[in-house]
Amino acid sequence: MPARIIDPAEGRAALAAVRDGATDRATTATTVRFLLQSLAAAVPGNSVEVRVPPFGAVQAVPGPRHTRGTPPNVVEMDARTWIALATATLTWPEAVAAARVIASGSRADLTDHLPVRLPD
């Protein structure tokens, strides 16, 4: 989970602002972290590390746990791509085909976990 837990109301407000065209760093960061936090809550586990530099990373998806070094299953992308994937304005196959996602490992396909289920 991210270091600071994003309150769902704050996260939803940031997401709404991004959908309305906000591009400032603080709003983008809050949105990315909220969506990462939501993914980790909806699909708990430690087998895939999802990275959105420089804003955050979480471990999610059930399966084998890694404890040292680089995880065997890593997904990395920029903030704009993550927000689009997490909110279903971009599909996983589209993102991979456009080289907007770097994914390695046998469990690094997030298709079954997108769009991200937001907390109530």
Side-chain angles (χ1 to χ4, degrees):
M1 285 292 217
R4 177 178 81 86
I5 303 299
I6 307 291
D7 177 84
E10 179 185 1
R12 286 179 184 277
L15 178 57
V18 166
R19 285 181 170 158
D20 288 342
T23 59
D24 64 279
R25 184 175 173 85
T27 303
T28 300
T30 299
T31 302
V32 166
R33 292 173 183 146
F34 173 62
L35 292 170
L36 285 171
Q37 168 185 305
S38 298
L39 174 70
V43 191
N46 297 99
S47 70
V48 178
E49 186 164 294
V50 180
R51 300 174 179 168
V52 184
F55 300 115
V58 294
Q59 291 184 1
V61 184
R65 179 186 181 100
H66 75 280
T67 56
R68 295 175 54 150
T70 301
N73 301 287
V74 176
V75 175
E76 188 168 322
M77 69 206 80
D78 64 30
R80 193 175 106 221
T81 300
W82 171 239
I83 293 168
L85 284 169
T87 60
T89 59
L90 177 68
T91 68
W92 183 262
E94 291 168 340
V96 170
R100 292 178 63 182
V101 170
I102 299 168
S104 63
S106 61
R107 296 175 181 271
D109 182 336
L110 297 180
T111 302
D112 292 340
H113 311 298
L114 298 171
V116 172
R117 193 172 62 228
L118 300 179
D120 296 329

